[in-house]
Amino acid sequence: MHHRFSEPVKRWSESAGKYFPVGDWPVKGSIEFYARLADHDRIRRGRRLSELDAPLTFSDGNSTFRISTLGFLHYTTVTLGTPGMKFLVALDTGSDLFWVPCDCSKCAPTVGTAYSLDFELSVYNPQESSTSKKLTCNNILCAHRNRCLGMFNHCPYTVSYISSETSTSGILVEDVLHLKTEGSDQEFVEAYITFGCGQVQTGSFLDVAAPNGLFGLGLEKISVPSILFSEGYTADSFSMCFGHDGNGKINFGDKGSADQEETPFNMNPLHPTYNVTVTQARVGTTLIDFDLTALFDSGTSFTYLVDPAYTSFSESFHSQIQDRRRPADPRIPFEYCYDMSPDANTSLIPTVSLTMKGGGQLTVYDPIIVISALRELVYCLAIVRSAELNIIGQNFMTGYGIVFDREKLILGWKKSNCYDAEDSNTTWARSHNSTRAPPAVAAGLGNFQTPKSTKDGGSKPRNSAAPPPYYGRHASDLIHSSCFAFTCILFLFL
C-alpha cells in the first residue's frame, strides 16, 4: 500500500496520464508535502473524529425533484470526476449499483428528444477525468469475475431490472463523487466511489426513465451509502424526503429523530434489501389483517400488491366509492378507476393507512392518481396488481421524511414537507391553495360495526370502529399533486 504522493503512485499516475493534482506533485519532505497529506487525511477520515455529526449531501445540494416526464421518479444532480461533470440521476432504493452513461455503444440520446430540451444530459468518459480508474477483476467489488479473461482485465457488470427488458451493462470504474457537509460550517468532500460505466442500456433506460443514470441506494457493498460508510465518510444511514409538491431532499449519514415511527427490515443475508412487514391496512371504514412483506422502493413510481392482498385492498376501496367505475382501459395500468364528479368536492376518497411491524402507522396521503382525459377527469386507486412481489412505491412515501438506518436495520418515517424552516401542515394547505374547510363528516360516519378479532391471518377485510374514524378526502385535494396527461408509465428498478 502506498500513500497519495509516494513515488510508485507518482510513476503510475504519470504512466497512465493521470496527475492529481494535475502536474503538481509536492517535493517529498517539504512542508507542502506533509500539509497535502494531512489535508487529504482530514478530508477522508477526519469526519470520524467529529463522530459523523454532519450529514453529507451532493455538492450541488440535497434537493431532489419528481419529474413526471421521466417516469414520476425523484431525481437529483450529482457531480463526478476531475474536472467535475454533472449528471441527472434517478434515486433508487430498490437497487444497488450507481451507473451513468459512459463510452456508449447503446445509450439514451442526449439531444433531439423531448427530455433533452428540458435537461442538459452528459456522457461520462474515463479518459477525460484525471481521477478515474477502471476496476480490475481482482477487486473485491467485482461480482462477475467468472466473465473475466484475466484477473487484471477490466471488471464487467450487468444489471437487469424488473421493468420489461430493462438493463445496463459495462465496466466498473472508480472516481471522485463531489459531496459537501450539511450545516453552517460547510466543507466540500471528494469521496472515491465505485460505479458503473454504462456502455449498453436497454428498455426504459433508452427513452423515458433515468436516461442519464440511476443512483442505486441499496444494502450491497457496491452501493454509494455502503462505500461512504466503509470509507469513514458517514454513519451507516441515509434519509430521503418526498414532498407533496414533488420536491424532496437526500442526506447521507442522517439517522433520523427520536420521535420518528420505525419498523425493522426483514434481512435476507444472500440478497439484503429494504424489505418490511405490513401487518394491517385501513381503507376507510375497513381494516384488513395480513402478514405482508414488501420492498420499500423509491425507484418504483406506484405501489404493487400480490393477491390476496391486492384484491382485499382494492375491493375495500371500491366498496366505499360513490362515483361510477370506468371500464378497463388498456392505456391505464390501474384497474379501479372512476369518473370524477363534475364538482370534484363531492368525490370522497377513503383514507388509507398501513400498520407496520412494531405498530408504526404510515398514513398514505396520495392513494389515488388523477388523470386528465380530454374534457374529463378520472381518478384511480394507484395500486397495481403484481404477480410475485409486493412493493411500497414512491406514491405511498409522499409527505414523509424516510430514514434508511442500515446500522440498526430499521426503516424510520416522520411527516415532513421537506422544507426545514416551515411547518408541514402549513405548507400542505398552502400548496393546494385550499381556502375551504375540510369535510367535518364523511359519508357513513357513525354506521360502524364493532370489529371482530381475526386470528386466521390472510387478507380478510373487516369493518371497524377503531380510531381514526373515516374522514374522507375530496378528490380535488389530490389533483394538484397527481394530475398528469392521459399516459401512465410505471418503472420498477430492482
Side-chain angles (χ1 to χ4, degrees), residues 54-117:
L56 284 179
T57 192
F58 301 112
S59 60
D60 291 273
N62 68 355
S63 295
T64 68
F65 35 92
R66 185 178 63 223
I67 302 178
S68 60
T69 55
L70 295 179
F72 275 84
L73 301 176
H74 268 250
Y75 290 78
T76 195
T77 300
V78 302
T79 301
L80 280 173
T82 308
M85 177 173 286
K86 298 182 188 300
F87 295 86
L88 180 71
V89 296
L91 299 168
D92 181 22
T93 61
S95 66
D96 301 288
L97 183 68
F98 166 36
W99 64 265
V100 295
C102 164
D103 289 347
C104 290
S105 297
K106 188 179 181 182
C107 299
T110 57
V111 295
T113 64
Y115 59 76
S116 64
L117 298 176

Side-chain angles (χ1 to χ4, degrees), residues 184-263:
S184 56
D185 297 328
Q186 195 172 89
E187 177 185 4
F188 286 91
V189 178
E190 295 177 347
Y192 281 83
I193 55 105
T194 298
F195 60 97
C197 169
Q199 299 165 334
V200 178
Q201 275 66 253
T202 65
S204 300
F205 292 146
L206 294 178
D207 43 33
V208 290
N212 212 211
L214 188 71
F215 201 96
L217 292 159
L219 283 157
E220 296 284 4
K221 291 181 179 179
I222 201 167
S223 75
V224 171
S226 297
I227 294 172
L228 293 181
F229 169 67
S230 66
E231 292 297 316
Y233 292 107
T234 66
D236 197 9
S237 184
F238 70 93
S239 66
M240 296 181 70
C241 194
F242 302 90
H244 292 284
D245 58 2
N247 291 316
K249 60 184 180 180
I250 181 170
N251 287 301
F252 299 103
D254 183 5
K255 298 180 70 68
S257 59
D259 58 344
Q260 67 186 11
E261 301 268 21
E262 295 180 347
T263 192

Side-chain angles (χ1 to χ4, degrees), residues 290-312:
F290 42 44
D291 185 16
L292 180 152
T293 60
L295 179 69
F296 219 84
D297 182 16
S298 69
T300 299
S301 310
F302 303 107
T303 293
Y304 286 67
L305 295 178
V306 300
D307 273 325
Y310 172 81
T311 298
S312 297

Side-chain angles (χ1 to χ4, degrees), residues 143-148:
H144 293 285
R145 296 178 186 177
N146 59 324
R147 293 170 48 192
C148 295

Side-chain angles (χ1 to χ4, degrees), residues 244 365 415-417 422-431:
H244 292 284
Y365 295 111
K415 185 178 179 181
S416 176
N417 59 29
E422 299 183 31
D423 177 76
S424 59
N425 292 321
T426 302
T427 300
W428 167 240
R430 182 169 60 253
S431 67

Side-chain angles (χ1 to χ4, degrees), residues 148-174:
C148 295
L149 298 178
M151 292 306 292
F152 295 99
N153 283 39
H154 298 152
C155 175
Y157 83 86
T158 298
V159 180
S160 297
Y161 301 82
I162 285 183
S163 292
S164 179
E165 300 179 352
T166 296
S167 67
T168 176
S169 60
I171 62 172
L172 295 180
V173 299
E174 180 186 85

Side-chain angles (χ1 to χ4, degrees), residues 354-370:
L354 305 177
T355 301
M356 316 300 282
K357 184 177 181 179
Q361 297 290 317
L362 180 74
T363 299
V364 179
Y365 295 111
D366 283 346
I368 70 169
I369 193 158
V370 182

